[in-house]
Amino acid sequence: MTSYDVVVVGAGAAGLFCAGVAGQLGLKVLLLDHSEKVAEKIRISGGGRCNFTNRQLDPGAPQKYFLGENPHFCRSALSRYTPQDFIALVQRHGIAFHEKHKGQLFCDRSAEDIIQMLLRECDAGAMGGSVTRWQPCSVKNIKYLDTSQRGMVTFCYQIESDRGWIEAGAVVIATGGLSIPKIGATDFGYRVAKQFGLRLVETRPGLVPLTFDGDAWAPYAQLAGLALPVRIETGIAASPHAPPLRGSLPPEGAPFALGRPGGKRKDRASFDEDLLFTHRGLSGPAVLQISSYWREGSPIRLNLAPETDLPSALARAKATSRKLIANELATLVPSRLADAWVQQETAWQRPISEATDKALTSLPSG
């Protein structure tokens, strides 16, 4: 049986970082993962350039950015290791980066730079510590030795793996969640938590796009690739004029509506971010953010021109312009979106000077 001070299960961002720090503190570490490649989620993050931190986060109150039933859970760790600490690590490794939007930092070259940095940190053992990697290697079973009955036990855990039995003084589970099965995500961490009697919060989608069925999304599929800044909100009273778009947050397939009144006060959230139209629905930072707050039965409302009082702008245009409504809208939102939007109602497919007040009033909430 092979012995280690620490076994880290999962060679993603958290597992690599944990193993590297432990090795530099003088511990003998085994890092294992069931995949042949490390850090696949880092590799695909930020469009392949890894949005690795945000310089605007407040290290004195990190719980403001932590979603969960107990936000203060993260205070100790995130207060002691701040975004500035990670930025300093990136700079020590000579990785070029840039700020893209609202403090978000991305690698100039590739997410692979961050992966190689973490691997070098694992290789930089100190004080006799080291990190050994086993990949691919799956864990079949974890046993805990009850020290109260056995007296002094140096190695409290026994792990059955594809490469044999391992004993360790500590085990770190860094296998992540269920978010992207295609890159190896599994429920392993949840199963281990259940095995050791830890309470689990019911899982649901978060940081995911919105997808729609083919017929509902057909009028908007042509907008794929279009991006624009929006205000997106959930859990608030919305317009009574519900748009004809209905879809789901994968993978549960729960109902989704834009503009339906309702929602609980505690679930309210709002973001000013970019929206991206895709062939199957909506994505981009705005949708990914709001998906973590959305609850079944709550509305999601999109303001496609957040810097404009649209009803007033349309009223002024009616008094002064003979352009088509679509052309007037195109001065406020991308023309492709304006053209698709007015196709919903024949009353909107005419010069704005000829439109009824009722048609123009319903247009912003269409």
Side-chain angles (χ1 to χ4, degrees):
M1 185 177 294
T2 311
S3 300
Y4 290 90
D5 296 317
V6 182
V7 171
V8 180
V9 184
L16 285 168
F17 192 87
C18 176
V21 170
Q24 293 176 36
L25 291 174
L27 298 176
K28 184 181 179 184
V29 182
L30 174 63
L31 174 63
L32 52 85
D33 197 290
H34 67 163
S35 174
E36 292 185 3
K37 293 184 178 180
V38 301
E40 282 290 82
K41 198 168 184 180
I42 294 179
R43 191 168 280 109
I44 66 173
S45 67
R49 292 197 175 184
C50 185
N51 47 327
F52 57 85
T53 194
N54 189 307
R55 68 163 78 248
Q56 294 183 2
L57 299 186
D58 179 6
Q63 69 276 9
K64 293 191 299 184
Y65 315 100
F66 185 86
L67 296 181
E69 294 182 357
N70 180 18
H72 292 279
F73 169 81
C74 70
R75 289 187 67 179
S76 176
L78 297 186
S79 294
R80 289 186 294 172
Y81 194 88
T82 68
Q84 286 67 36
D85 292 321
F86 194 80
I87 291 170
L89 177 65
V90 170
Q91 291 173 328
R92 285 202 303 272
H93 284 263
I95 298 173
F97 61 89
H98 60 278
E99 181 175 334
K100 188 173 182 180
H101 180 60
K102 294 184 177 181
Q104 300 169 0
L105 302 185
F106 291 74
C107 296
D108 284 355
R109 195 187 72 85
S110 169
E112 189 67 30
D113 292 340
I114 297 295
I115 297 173
Q116 293 303 316
M117 177 192 77
L118 294 173
L119 289 173
R120 288 193 295 271
E121 287 293 301
C122 286
D123 292 337
M127 298 182 290
S130 63
V131 177
T132 301
R133 295 200 344 253
W134 288 1
Q135 291 177 257
C137 180
S138 296
V139 173
K140 299 178 179 179
N141 188 24
I142 300 177
K143 294 181 179 181
Y144 176 72
L145 306 180
D146 189 345
T147 57
S148 65
Q149 297 180 9
R150 298 171 59 93
M152 293 296 294
V153 177
T154 303
F155 301 107
C156 302
Y157 294 92
Q158 290 183 347
I159 302 170
E160 183 183 6
S161 76
D162 286 349
R163 304 193 187 188
W165 282 91
I166 311 154
E167 57 183 5
V171 175
V172 176
I173 304 298
T175 53
L178 300 167
S179 55
I180 312 178
K182 289 183 179 179
I183 61 172
T186 73
D187 65 346
F188 177 83
Y190 300 106
R191 287 187 277 116
V192 172
K194 288 180 180 178
Q195 175 187 338
F196 287 94
L198 299 179
R199 184 176 68 89
L200 295 181
V201 176
E202 182 180 358
T203 59
R204 60 181 181 82
L207 295 176
V208 293
L210 293 167
T211 60
F212 300 81
D213 63 59
D215 292 338
W217 192 245
Y220 306 96
Q222 61 181 316
L223 300 178
L226 177 68
L228 73 159
V230 303
R231 178 167 298 135
I232 190 167
E233 303 166 306
T234 186
I236 60 172
S239 164
H241 305 285
L245 302 183
R246 293 184 181 273
S248 64
L249 274 173
E252 276 81 351
F256 160 76
L258 291 173
R260 187 174 59 204
K264 300 179 181 179
R265 180 177 296 274
K266 67 179 181 180
D267 294 332
R268 293 186 179 184
S270 175
F271 297 98
D272 290 339
E273 289 283 2
D274 288 343
L275 176 78
L276 174 66
F277 284 81
T278 72
H279 291 290
R280 299 180 58 200
L282 299 173
S283 188
V287 170
L288 299 182
Q289 286 273 36
I290 210 69
S291 71
S292 294
Y293 294 85
W294 178 83
R295 298 294 186 275
E296 183 176 355
S298 294
I300 290 180
R301 179 174 171 82
L302 278 172
N303 186 337
L304 300 174
E307 302 300 324
T308 302
D309 183 346
L310 196 53
S312 297
L314 293 174
R316 289 193 299 271
K318 180 180 179 179
T320 60
S321 173
R322 295 185 178 182
K323 295 180 181 179
L324 292 173
I325 292 175
N327 292 339
E328 286 295 339
L329 274 182
T331 65
L332 305 172
V333 299
S335 59
R336 291 166 58 199
L337 176 58
D339 290 339
W341 198 256
V342 300
Q343 294 305 310
Q344 298 179 71
E345 295 286 346
T346 55
W348 300 340
Q349 299 167 29
R350 62 184 63 191
I352 194 167
S353 59
E354 299 176 10
T356 65
D357 291 341
K358 181 179 179 180
L360 291 183
T361 300
S362 66
L363 180 62
S365 57

